[in-house]
Amino acid sequence: MLAPLPRLIIEPAVRRALEEDLGLAGDITANAVIPADHRSTVVMAARREGAIAGLDAAALAFALIDPEIRMARHVGDGEKVAAGAAIATVTGPSRALLTGERTALNFLGHLSGIATVTRGIVDAVTGTGASIVCTRKTTPGLRALEKYAVKAGGGGNHRFSLADAVLIKDNHIAIAGDIRTAILRAKENAGHMVKIEVEVDTLDQLEQAMDVGVDAVLLDNMTPETLRRAVAIVSGRAVTEASGGITPETAGAVAEAGVDLISIGWLTHSAPVLDIGLDYRNAGD
């Protein structure tokens, strides 16, 4: 079951977005055109098929503008919807609804877009035993929300921050001098609870890493055939993670090579927004 993000994680991002949109004078259009006592009912609906994520952020965007606004959800985060499907019905003061509309839809559309592309690539590797995970290639300030959206799409999360685990990459190795030295230094300085992963570009590097011993290996930009050989070399001694240029078209072959994880940065940095609109239905009660 998908656990919701705590409000204390969501609220700072939503408040910043609202402050950015309101500027110094607030919504001068709604305040000029809409009577102060007018109430409305609007429906948020998907313009195309996709997986939903970000309902809490959308609801909070409205509530922070006016706590009288009520949002009735017709689906939950993680659910797939068809084009035209109603996602939620929102009722309250018309000015506030229009003021919060863009911020609510920005969060809902962006996070649902991430959930949608994640769901697509998770489906592409179903039955292989490989799991799809995201990376730290996230929008500054929105990492927790975007990683939540990946989980809503059926994926998993890699590191949330640099403090979560040791991940020795090519530049670390280059500066340290060689892969063995880098791993030994990590083992000497990391705490006993800290996992160590190392990125390798070749099978020779992989052999060196396995000789020293690590918890996980990131197999970077390898062909499916090379990945199969890498998985055989590791032989269950470490978690195997494939990364680098993986697309929905190639993910199946990568997964069938036997890796445990496939990490994909574009899930969060390049997912297209799921088109979701807000439609006026009638005056509120």
Side-chain angles (χ1 to χ4, degrees):
M1 182 176 178
L2 183 66
L5 284 176
R7 176 167 170 156
L8 63 86
I9 297 295
I10 301 172
E11 186 167 337
V14 175
R15 283 190 180 277
R16 285 194 300 269
L18 288 170
E19 289 166 3
E20 179 180 62
D21 211 27
L22 288 168
L24 297 177
D27 186 353
I28 61 174
T29 306
N31 291 341
V33 175
I34 308 299
D37 61 349
H38 193 276
R39 297 177 65 85
S40 295
T41 295
V42 295
V43 174
M44 291 193 290
R47 300 287 192 247
R48 62 181 179 86
E49 179 183 343
I52 300 302
L55 287 166
D56 284 347
L60 187 56
F62 286 121
L64 289 175
I65 294 294
D66 192 324
E68 288 189 31
I69 294 177
R70 296 290 180 266
M71 191 172 105
R73 307 176 192 200
H74 306 309
V75 299
D77 281 348
E79 292 186 46
K80 291 183 70 173
V81 298
I87 297 168
T89 299
V90 191
T91 303
S94 299
R95 284 184 180 179
L97 288 174
L98 295 178
T99 298
E101 171 185 1
R102 178 42 50 203
T103 297
L105 291 178
N106 281 350
F107 277 107
L108 188 59
H110 175 56
L111 298 177
S112 295
I114 292 172
T116 298
V117 297
T118 302
R119 174 58 62 189
I121 204 158
V122 166
D123 289 346
V125 303
T126 297
T128 64
S131 297
I132 302 298
V133 297
C134 55
T135 71
R136 285 170 42 247
K137 296 177 182 178
T138 54
T139 307
L142 296 182
R143 180 169 294 167
L145 286 165
E146 290 176 345
K147 283 182 171 285
Y148 168 83
V150 169
K151 294 187 74 173
N157 297 153
H158 210 283
R159 294 187 299 173
F160 269 76
S161 74
L162 293 169
D164 288 343
V166 172
L167 176 48
I168 303 169
K169 303 192 78 174
D170 53 357
N171 284 330
H172 298 107
I173 294 167
I175 294 171
D178 59 72
I179 197 166
R180 179 183 177 83
T181 300
I183 295 171
L184 288 175
R185 286 178 180 171
K187 288 190 169 189
E188 181 180 352
N189 291 287
H192 70 283
M193 297 291 288
V194 177
K195 298 284 188 179
I196 298 175
E197 181 174 17
V198 63
E199 176 185 276
V200 299
D201 301 316
T202 67
L203 296 180
D204 180 60
Q205 282 189 322
L206 177 60
E207 295 273 17
Q208 294 177 56
M210 297 314 300
D211 285 344
V212 183
V214 290
D215 298 296
V217 287
L218 194 160
L219 308 167
D220 192 42
N221 283 297
M222 293 184 179
T223 65
E225 177 55 36
T226 304
L227 286 171
R228 288 189 194 93
R229 295 170 62 191
V231 170
I233 289 170
V234 173
S235 189
R237 292 178 290 166
V239 173
T240 53
E241 173 188 347
S243 187
I246 297 166
T247 67
E249 293 72 32
T250 63
V254 170
E256 288 168 2
V259 295
D260 299 306
L261 305 173
I262 300 175
S263 58
I264 305 173
W266 58 258
L267 295 178
T268 50
H269 71 62
S270 295
V273 168
L274 182 66
D275 190 6
I276 296 171
L278 187 144
D279 302 317
Y280 174 76
R281 292 298 170 91
N282 53 46
D285 295 331

